[in-house]
Amino acid sequence: MEYELVVVGGGPAGLSGALKAAQNGVRVAIVDRQEELGGQLVKQTHKFFGWSRRGAGIRGIEIGRRLRNAVLAQPHITVFTGTEALGYYPDNSLLIEGPSGVSRITGKTFLFATGAQERMILFPGNDLPGVYGAGAVQTLMNVYGVRPGRSVLMVGSGNIGLIVSYQLRQAGVAVRAIVEALPQIGGYAVHASKVRRLGIPILTRHSIKEAHGKECVEGATIWELDDKFRGIPGTEKDLDVDVICLATGLTPLGDLLWQAGVSMTYVPELGGFVPIYDENMETERPGIFVAGDAAGIEEASTAMLCGEIAGLAVAAKLGKIPRHRFEEERNVLARELAALRSGPLSSKVRTGYERIRALVQGRRGS
Amino acid sequence: MTGLRIEEHPVLDFPKRKKVKFFFEGKEMEGYEGEPIAAALHAAGVKVLHHSLKLGRPRGFFCAIGNCSSCLMIVDGVPNVRACTEKLREGMRVERQVGRGPSLAAR
Ligand SMILES: Cc1cc2nc3c(=O)[nH]c(=O)nc-3n(C[C@H](O)[C@H](O)[C@H](O)COP(=O)(O)OP(=O)(O)OC[C@H]3O[C@@H](n4cnc5c(N)ncnc54)[C@H](O)[C@@H]3O)c2cc1C
């Protein structure tokens, strides 16, 4: 089957890109390995931060539902859920595995919006069952209705660590402590105070020393860190926990992009290796676009905007809309994106994107 | 089923699904049809799903979205099935896998 655009990943980025392209007459296929479209949004029970027109104040699950309904109502979009993209071939096809087995799907253009994966940290016992990524804990309890355990140590105080701690309490699970290596809390103050009101201690300059247990986690030792992030002997505390939840950051999920031969570069501000792409979200392999966390760890609101820019650029590339209309509309989206990224909390990602822009301009100049 | 199932939640509803029987290491267990095998096992108190290739260390799930390969199990005789995404069906036979698991050619 040939489509004009194949979107890999049905999170906010992929769905927004698919919608924008389809609204401009592009025939789109969306492939997602989960059963339900929405990506991370299907497990976000909290009200979202971000800009009001982009769903701030609405729960993540509700934003996901709206996007999903819009996609399912769009006749130009074919949806393949429960279907994993396994590999890209240079003849513009993708190997996929779904309910009806393994097959190929061809596209004139591609949008890779595969999201992110969790980062692991080093400590003795980090491989024991009971050490789970924050995303896994969320999936287990918010999608499947199963508690990860009875008592949790949360590692990391970014928004994800704070929000998942809150969600654990909503599900009736105790959170003994949140440890944070840095001297200050990583996430927003609103989330931190919500968690503190529940009586969960947030210990800055602290980290996990080791996990205990033979077959699975039976406890954890935490300790204080010095200025060089080394543990201070004598400050150890044992915690009675059966789950250690890692919220120590995300890194873009770029396996398919590497495999497709897209040029990648290391940008720590964006979470690790990211594809190199221009202001239309197109990579250096013409016809391959990226958006969302796969292009740099950020948030749902910006993922949606970048997806829309990519979808619009695809429509322009395929000649569905005239150049001037594309540029007009793209500039509106780009301004919105710049406004979303203008706050002090976005300074890190701004640095990251400036690095990519500089790289692209340097290559164009040479 | 044990206390790990969430019965009441301030934001979410978990619709009642059909209960099915399955076998874990030959022992009969209960779970809900269509949920991932790992979710059913976890709710039943089973956390060790795999033993590592080199040191035989116990392994559970880690990412729960089919990315990390920490939860590979033998399902109805087929090795290397991701228990965190494979859906539970009536009568399934699930076993812990050691390392790469049995060779399919040897069956
Ligand atoms: C706890 C938590 C709280 C958050 N809170 C907020 C918030 O309040 N406000 C906000 O703006 N953002 C928030 N975010 C961030 C936001 O959820 C993400 O930035 C956003 O979901 C990224 O969208 P995406 O479309 O790039 O990726 P995702 O939502 O991760 O979607 C990627 C999709 O790709 C699919 N996929 C990946 N690989 C393949 C493959 N090979 N084949 C098929 N399908 C594949 C996955 O199944 C998934 O559905 C939060 C995130 C977390 C974890």
Side-chain angles (χ1 to χ4, degrees):
Chain A
M1 202 46 199
E2 202 199 53
Y3 294 89
E4 290 176 309
L5 168 65
V6 176
V7 178
V8 183
L15 296 183
S16 304
L19 276 170
K20 195 54 141 190
Q23 283 156 3
N24 287 293
V26 178
R27 270 187 309 107
V28 185
I30 303 177
V31 177
D32 197 295
R33 64 179 167 205
Q34 299 303 129
E35 288 309 315
E36 205 180 342
L37 291 176
Q40 294 299 318
L41 298 177
V42 304
K43 39 193 160 164
Q44 306 307 350
T45 49
H46 64 287
K47 299 205 170 91
F48 259 43
F49 50 83
W51 201 32
S52 58
R53 266 177 56 208
R54 295 282 156 185
I58 305 175
R59 290 184 202 283
I61 40 175
E62 180 55 31
I63 302 172
R65 200 173 293 140
R66 289 182 191 179
L67 278 173
R68 185 159 61 242
N69 289 342
V71 162
L72 296 176
Q74 174 50 254
H76 285 309
I77 303 180
T78 311
V79 175
F80 298 93
T81 45
T83 303
E84 183 160 21
L86 303 173
Y88 171 84
Y89 287 83
D91 65 352
N92 284 334
S93 71
L94 204 62
L95 189 71
I96 56 173
E97 185 184 12
S100 49
V102 176
S103 60
R104 284 224 223 174
I105 179 170
T106 330
K108 284 203 171 79
T109 58
F110 289 86
L111 170 57
F112 288 102
T114 46
Q117 98 190 67
E118 239 124 23
R119 239 187 289 191
M120 190 72 198
I121 59 166
L122 296 177
F123 57 88
N126 69 356
D127 64 339
L128 281 173
V131 178
Y132 302 135
V137 163
Q138 272 200 311
T139 306
L140 193 70
M141 68 182 177
N142 293 351
V143 182
Y144 303 119
V146 178
R147 296 183 183 94
R150 305 192 181 280
S151 170
V152 177
L153 166 64
M154 180 66 67
V155 183
S157 74
N159 281 324
I160 295 183
L162 298 175
I163 288 166
V164 175
S165 295
Y166 187 80
Q167 293 178 353
L168 278 159
R169 282 292 294 273
Q170 275 185 325
V173 181
V175 180
R176 290 278 172 260
I178 302 176
V179 288
E180 168 61 57
L182 293 173
Q184 72 284 336
I185 294 171
Y188 293 165
V190 270
H191 292 312
S193 37
K194 257 173 101 173
V195 162
R196 281 223 180 88
R197 278 199 297 276
L198 293 174
I200 301 172
I202 307 178
L203 307 171
T204 52
R205 288 183 196 277
H206 273 74
S207 189
I208 179 167
K209 184 184 182 200
E210 56 191 321
H212 308 290
K214 208 168 160 324
E215 285 288 292
C216 50
V217 173
E218 290 163 23
T221 302
I222 57 171
W223 58 354
E224 222 176 295
L225 303 179
D226 66 16
D227 290 340
K228 299 206 165 86
F229 296 104
R230 289 172 309 208
I232 304 173
T235 61
E236 290 92 343
K237 266 184 236 116
D238 287 333
L239 298 182
D240 174 25
V241 295
D242 58 355
V243 174
I244 296 166
C245 181
L246 300 185
T248 45
L250 299 169
T251 187
L253 191 53
D255 310 20
L256 281 168
L257 293 166
W258 283 105
Q259 188 265 329
V262 165
S263 342
M264 309 283 281
T265 183
Y266 188 75
V267 183
E269 293 87 354
L270 300 179
F273 277 98
V274 290
I276 299 174
Y277 51 88
D278 66 12
E279 62 279 11
N280 297 332
M281 307 306 295
E282 189 167 10
T283 66
E284 294 188 328
R285 277 197 78 115
I288 297 188
F289 293 76
V290 289
D293 281 351
I297 304 300
E298 216 176 338
E299 46 188 66
S301 44
T302 50
M304 288 160 73
L305 271 167
C306 292
E308 287 180 27
I309 292 176
L312 197 66
V314 165
K317 194 177 180 89
L318 297 173
K320 306 274 178 187
I321 46 173
R323 201 77 210 167
H324 67 272
R325 226 198 83 202
F326 160 64
E327 276 166 13
E328 254 166 48
E329 215 179 309
R330 199 247 350 254
N331 293 344
V332 172
L333 293 171
R335 270 199 296 278
E336 219 180 303
L337 191 59
L340 269 179
R341 285 177 181 156
S342 62
L345 291 159
S346 304
S347 71
K348 212 173 94 184
V349 296
R350 277 202 306 270
T351 311
Y353 290 113
E354 276 156 24
R355 278 178 197 247
I356 296 191
R357 284 293 74 76
L359 207 66
V360 171
Q361 259 142 31
R363 293 193 186 202
R364 276 183 186 159
S366 63
Chain B
M1 286 178 208
T2 71
L4 288 180
R5 296 272 183 196
I6 301 171
E7 307 293 344
E8 266 175 60
H9 193 282
V11 182
L12 297 169
D13 273 333
F14 297 103
K16 281 281 158 256
R17 291 152 297 174
K18 192 181 147 202
K19 274 186 187 172
V20 292
K21 286 191 181 13
F22 68 103
F23 299 89
F24 169 66
E25 305 263 302
K27 212 177 113 204
E28 192 179 289
M29 290 197 169
E30 237 178 21
Y32 290 116
E33 185 173 61
E35 70 180 347
I37 296 170
L41 286 174
H42 193 90
V46 177
K47 290 186 176 177
V48 182
L49 310 177
H50 184 103
H51 283 96
S52 70
L53 177 63
K54 231 171 152 177
L55 300 175
R57 301 261 305 166
R59 290 275 180 270
F61 66 84
F62 176 73
C63 77
I65 50 169
N67 238 352
C68 75
S69 303
S70 180
C71 65
L72 300 181
M73 300 187 83
I74 305 169
V75 177
D76 291 331
V78 178
N80 300 316
V81 174
R82 290 174 291 191
C84 76
T85 52
E86 190 71 19
K87 293 192 196 63
L88 190 68
R89 291 184 313 268
E90 177 77 44
M92 244 180 183
R93 292 182 178 272
V94 181
E95 283 149 284
R96 283 193 181 118
Q97 181 173 323
V98 180
R100 296 192 185 95
S103 152
L104 281 178
R107 284 203 303 174

